[in-house]
Every structure is written in C-alpha cells, then in structure tokens.
Amino acid sequence: MPPVQVGVVMGSSSDWDTLQHAVQILQEFGVAHEARVVSAHRMPDDMFAYAQAAAGRGLKAIIAGAGGAAHLPGMLAAKTPVPVLGVPVASRHLQGVDSLHSIVQMPKGVPVATFAIGQAGAANAALFAVAMLANEDAALRARLDAFRARQTEAARAMTLPPVA
C-alpha cells in the first residue's frame, strides 16, 4: 500500500456528509489518503500532534473541513508546513457563512487555501490536492487531464430547453 499523501480531517463525524466528497475524488484518482476526526476544540492535543507529525509522515496536503467557528484548518496550518486546504461545512443557523469567514480570514503568514462551502468545496479541495500531486507524478497528471477532458465534453453536450 502506498504511503498516505493526503489527510482529510474534520472537526466532527457530522462533517462526513460534506468531506466524503473529497474522499470520493481522492479514491477516483487513486491517491493514498486517510480520513479522521480531529476536533480543534474537543481534542486540541490530538490536533497539534496530527499537524506536527504530518510532514514527517509524508503528507503532501491536508484537507480540513469544519463548521461553526471552524478553527481546525487555521490551527493545523499554524502547526505544520504541509499545505492546508480548508473546506467550510454548512452550519445549522448560518449555512456555513460563519465557517467560510472563519477559515478564509487567516492572518498574513499563516495561509489556508479556502474552498466553497459544502460538497462542491470538498470535491474541489480534493481536485486541488490532486493537481498539486500531479506536478510530480506523470501518471496522475494523465488521469487529471482525462478527468478535465470528460468535464469539458459533458459541458459541450449540454442542451438548453426551448424558449417557453
């Protein structure tokens, strides 16, 4: 089994409904990954240990999803040189706008690449990770090129209904 290249972490198991879309993309591309709950608020020592060990374990990217106050992506980024890709998870009351603001407003010097709220953001974070890895992997680049070609063909095949 190849070494894990991408970590997918979330603050709660309830975030899985969103983050599973990142895992599906990583599986589609054959990227070795792991998924786990690492809560910034309920298990900060575990979160710091995960971040501090990430580079040494060979992780090339961490996709971190969080809702509400959404501190997980930023706190991970503060403790690791591994790129962190933040995915805001839709919250019950503010539909994820709170999460988006929490993740995207990182201070200068501690970047988190931030994606759209919800499932599209999770999938795009994984596609971004794939693109990063494809810079060093010609076979992965070919799979990514083929994926994008399929996306293009699907868009070209779209038709509009007649005017009513």
mmCIF file of all heavy atoms in Angstrom, residues 10-12 36-47 72:
data_model
loop_
_atom_site.group_PDB
_atom_site.id
_atom_site.type_symbol
_atom_site.label_atom_id
_atom_site.label_comp_id
_atom_site.label_asym_id
_atom_site.label_seq_id
_atom_site.Cartn_x
_atom_site.Cartn_y
_atom_site.Cartn_z
ATOM 1 N N MET A 10 -11.675 16.354 9.895
ATOM 2 C CA MET A 10 -12.881 17.132 10.160
ATOM 3 C C MET A 10 -13.068 17.253 11.658
ATOM 4 O O MET A 10 -12.562 16.442 12.426
ATOM 5 C CB MET A 10 -14.093 16.480 9.503
ATOM 6 C CG MET A 10 -14.362 15.059 9.924
ATOM 7 S SD MET A 10 -15.058 14.015 8.617
ATOM 8 C CE MET A 10 -13.602 13.624 7.660
ATOM 9 N N GLY A 11 -13.797 18.279 12.047
ATOM 10 C CA GLY A 11 -13.993 18.545 13.459
ATOM 11 C C GLY A 11 -14.987 17.637 14.138
ATOM 12 O O GLY A 11 -14.982 17.519 15.365
ATOM 13 N N SER A 12 -15.842 16.967 13.357
ATOM 14 C CA SER A 12 -16.884 16.123 13.928
ATOM 15 C C SER A 12 -17.319 15.099 12.886
ATOM 16 O O SER A 12 -17.215 15.356 11.677
ATOM 17 C CB SER A 12 -18.084 16.997 14.322
ATOM 18 O OG SER A 12 -19.204 16.217 14.650
ATOM 19 N N ARG A 36 -10.149 11.186 9.139
ATOM 20 C CA ARG A 36 -10.382 11.031 10.577
ATOM 21 C C ARG A 36 -10.946 12.302 11.194
ATOM 22 O O ARG A 36 -10.844 13.371 10.614
ATOM 23 C CB ARG A 36 -9.115 10.602 11.294
ATOM 24 C CG ARG A 36 -7.982 11.610 11.228
ATOM 25 C CD ARG A 36 -6.784 11.200 12.043
ATOM 26 N NE ARG A 36 -6.155 10.037 11.450
ATOM 27 C CZ ARG A 36 -4.964 9.601 11.776
ATOM 28 N NH1 ARG A 36 -4.265 10.204 12.699
ATOM 29 N NH2 ARG A 36 -4.446 8.547 11.195
ATOM 30 N N VAL A 37 -11.515 12.152 12.366
ATOM 31 C CA VAL A 37 -11.993 13.292 13.149
ATOM 32 C C VAL A 37 -10.836 13.773 14.016
ATOM 33 O O VAL A 37 -10.199 12.983 14.722
ATOM 34 C CB VAL A 37 -13.196 12.898 14.037
ATOM 35 C CG1 VAL A 37 -13.555 14.026 14.994
ATOM 36 C CG2 VAL A 37 -14.388 12.506 13.176
ATOM 37 N N VAL A 38 -10.575 15.072 13.920
ATOM 38 C CA VAL A 38 -9.556 15.729 14.750
ATOM 39 C C VAL A 38 -10.141 17.086 15.132
ATOM 40 O O VAL A 38 -10.001 18.051 14.391
ATOM 41 C CB VAL A 38 -8.217 15.912 13.981
ATOM 42 C CG1 VAL A 38 -7.179 16.548 14.885
ATOM 43 C CG2 VAL A 38 -7.708 14.598 13.437
ATOM 44 N N SER A 39 -10.809 17.160 16.251
ATOM 45 C CA SER A 39 -11.501 18.387 16.648
ATOM 46 C C SER A 39 -10.546 19.397 17.280
ATOM 47 O O SER A 39 -9.818 19.071 18.228
ATOM 48 C CB SER A 39 -12.608 18.042 17.653
ATOM 49 O OG SER A 39 -13.161 19.232 18.189
ATOM 50 N N ALA A 40 -10.576 20.618 16.768
ATOM 51 C CA ALA A 40 -9.748 21.687 17.334
ATOM 52 C C ALA A 40 -10.188 22.032 18.747
ATOM 53 O O ALA A 40 -9.357 22.373 19.588
ATOM 54 C CB ALA A 40 -9.826 22.930 16.448
ATOM 55 N N HIS A 41 -11.473 21.931 19.020
ATOM 56 C CA HIS A 41 -11.997 22.355 20.319
ATOM 57 C C HIS A 41 -12.089 21.236 21.338
ATOM 58 O O HIS A 41 -11.882 21.468 22.529
ATOM 59 C CB HIS A 41 -13.389 22.983 20.128
ATOM 60 C CG HIS A 41 -13.352 24.187 19.251
ATOM 61 N ND1 HIS A 41 -13.893 24.200 17.990
ATOM 62 C CD2 HIS A 41 -12.801 25.399 19.439
ATOM 63 C CE1 HIS A 41 -13.688 25.379 17.445
ATOM 64 N NE2 HIS A 41 -13.025 26.131 18.292
ATOM 65 N N ARG A 42 -12.367 20.018 20.886
ATOM 66 C CA ARG A 42 -12.572 18.923 21.829
ATOM 67 C C ARG A 42 -11.362 18.026 22.007
ATOM 68 O O ARG A 42 -11.299 17.250 22.955
ATOM 69 C CB ARG A 42 -13.783 18.089 21.395
ATOM 70 C CG ARG A 42 -15.088 18.866 21.527
ATOM 71 C CD ARG A 42 -16.233 18.074 20.970
ATOM 72 N NE ARG A 42 -16.090 17.960 19.524
ATOM 73 C CZ ARG A 42 -16.914 18.476 18.637
ATOM 74 N NH1 ARG A 42 -17.969 19.141 19.045
ATOM 75 N NH2 ARG A 42 -16.725 18.335 17.356
ATOM 76 N N MET A 43 -10.391 18.124 21.090
ATOM 77 C CA MET A 43 -9.180 17.304 21.190
ATOM 78 C C MET A 43 -7.966 18.060 20.652
ATOM 79 O O MET A 43 -7.307 17.620 19.718
ATOM 80 C CB MET A 43 -9.385 15.954 20.487
ATOM 81 C CG MET A 43 -10.066 16.037 19.142
ATOM 82 S SD MET A 43 -10.720 14.479 18.460
ATOM 83 C CE MET A 43 -9.288 13.513 18.136
ATOM 84 N N PRO A 44 -7.677 19.226 21.254
ATOM 85 C CA PRO A 44 -6.601 20.068 20.735
ATOM 86 C C PRO A 44 -5.231 19.399 20.762
ATOM 87 O O PRO A 44 -4.420 19.622 19.856
ATOM 88 C CB PRO A 44 -6.646 21.317 21.612
ATOM 89 C CG PRO A 44 -7.350 20.886 22.861
ATOM 90 C CD PRO A 44 -8.311 19.826 22.432
ATOM 91 N N ASP A 45 -4.948 18.576 21.739
ATOM 92 C CA ASP A 45 -3.645 17.910 21.795
ATOM 93 C C ASP A 45 -3.487 16.948 20.614
ATOM 94 O O ASP A 45 -2.418 16.886 19.996
ATOM 95 C CB ASP A 45 -3.455 17.164 23.120
ATOM 96 C CG ASP A 45 -3.375 18.110 24.310
ATOM 97 O OD1 ASP A 45 -3.027 19.290 24.118
ATOM 98 O OD2 ASP A 45 -3.671 17.659 25.433
ATOM 99 N N ASP A 46 -4.559 16.224 20.284
ATOM 100 C CA ASP A 46 -4.530 15.324 19.130
ATOM 101 C C ASP A 46 -4.351 16.116 17.835
ATOM 102 O O ASP A 46 -3.637 15.701 16.928
ATOM 103 C CB ASP A 46 -5.822 14.520 19.048
ATOM 104 C CG ASP A 46 -6.010 13.558 20.205
ATOM 105 O OD1 ASP A 46 -5.400 13.758 21.261
ATOM 106 O OD2 ASP A 46 -6.783 12.602 20.046
ATOM 107 N N MET A 47 -5.026 17.269 17.742
ATOM 108 C CA MET A 47 -4.919 18.105 16.555
ATOM 109 C C MET A 47 -3.481 18.599 16.377
ATOM 110 O O MET A 47 -2.933 18.529 15.276
ATOM 111 C CB MET A 47 -5.866 19.301 16.654
ATOM 112 C CG MET A 47 -5.757 20.254 15.473
ATOM 113 S SD MET A 47 -6.421 21.899 15.805
ATOM 114 C CE MET A 47 -5.461 22.408 17.214
ATOM 115 N N LEU A 72 -10.309 24.509 12.967
ATOM 116 C CA LEU A 72 -9.431 23.396 12.620
ATOM 117 C C LEU A 72 -8.455 23.707 11.481
ATOM 118 O O LEU A 72 -7.246 23.513 11.655
ATOM 119 C CB LEU A 72 -10.264 22.144 12.299
ATOM 120 C CG LEU A 72 -9.478 20.891 11.915
ATOM 121 C CD1 LEU A 72 -8.561 20.438 13.050
ATOM 122 C CD2 LEU A 72 -10.443 19.770 11.539
#
